[in-house]
Amino acid sequence: MRPEFHLEEVPAPTRIAPYALALTGEVNPTRDPDDMLGNGRFVVLYDPEGQEAWNGEFRVIIMARAELEPEFSGDPLLGEVGWSWLTDALEASGADYHSLSGTVTRVLSETFGGLHLRSGEVEIEIRASWTPGSTDLAPHLRAWALLTCQTAGLPPIPDNVSPLNRKR
């Protein structure tokens, strides 16, 4: 994982499957809340009896969200680009999956009247779920982390380069 990406376990949903795990991730180079670039959620559901809608026993559910530059608000390809970030991250991480579905949402917030504290904001949110092709879930976690970092605007790490943590 990149040093700017911080994970934390959070309570998992309890009604969807007998077993679940949930993590939140934050893209933040300093850990100062004002420096957060993006965030997301990773949930793994497990039902040993399987669920027909999942086409398997496991289901991965993710969300990645970040603020974008205002010029992206009208880009007609933003949804397709956001979805390609997800599929590219799954491929780059070597995640074996099927039954992929999801949405890419663009939110444009404009303030009026006495709320001139902020200018217009544009946010992208990618939500998706898929069924892993094996019980090795590490590639799926890596794909979500990669997607969340890319959504937050971090440049890709070149091949054959390892990220280093800063000394504290």
Side-chain angles (χ1 to χ4, degrees):
M1 303 276 175
R2 294 180 69 133
E4 304 93 342
F5 190 70
H6 310 284
L7 286 175
E8 182 178 332
E9 188 173 353
V10 294
T14 57
R15 297 182 187 172
I16 303 171
Y19 304 97
L21 169 78
L23 302 170
T24 60
E26 183 177 284
V27 181
N28 189 328
T30 67
R31 302 296 296 243
D32 181 333
D34 293 335
D35 293 335
M36 185 173 73
L37 302 173
N39 63 15
R41 188 170 172 105
F42 180 87
V43 177
V44 177
L45 304 174
Y46 173 62
D47 186 338
E49 295 179 16
Q51 292 199 15
E52 187 177 328
W54 302 351
N55 295 315
E57 297 175 352
F58 287 92
R59 191 72 176 168
V60 172
I61 303 167
I62 61 98
M63 183 271 296
R65 174 179 43 219
E67 191 173 324
L68 298 175
E69 298 297 323
E71 58 265 14
F72 291 111
S73 66
D75 187 339
L77 297 177
L78 183 60
E80 291 177 39
V81 169
W83 193 253
S84 73
W85 292 341
L86 170 62
T87 56
D88 290 350
L90 287 164
E91 183 179 327
S93 299
D96 180 20
Y97 67 93
H98 60 87
S99 305
L100 174 65
S101 63
T103 61
V104 178
T105 304
R106 161 194 354 224
V107 178
L108 171 61
S109 300
E110 298 177 282
T111 58
F112 300 94
L115 295 176
H116 289 287
L117 302 175
R118 303 182 307 203
S119 61
E121 293 180 351
V122 179
E123 189 175 81
I124 186 170
E125 183 176 277
I126 302 165
R127 291 180 177 264
S129 66
W130 61 86
T131 300
S134 75
T135 57
D136 181 7
L137 300 178
H140 303 272
L141 180 64
R142 283 193 302 271
W144 166 70
L146 178 61
L147 169 69
T148 305
C149 289
Q150 186 167 12
T151 302
L154 294 184
I157 295 176
D159 290 339
N160 300 319
V161 174
S162 297
L164 300 175
N165 290 322
R166 293 182 189 183
K167 282 191 166 192
R168 296 177 190 207

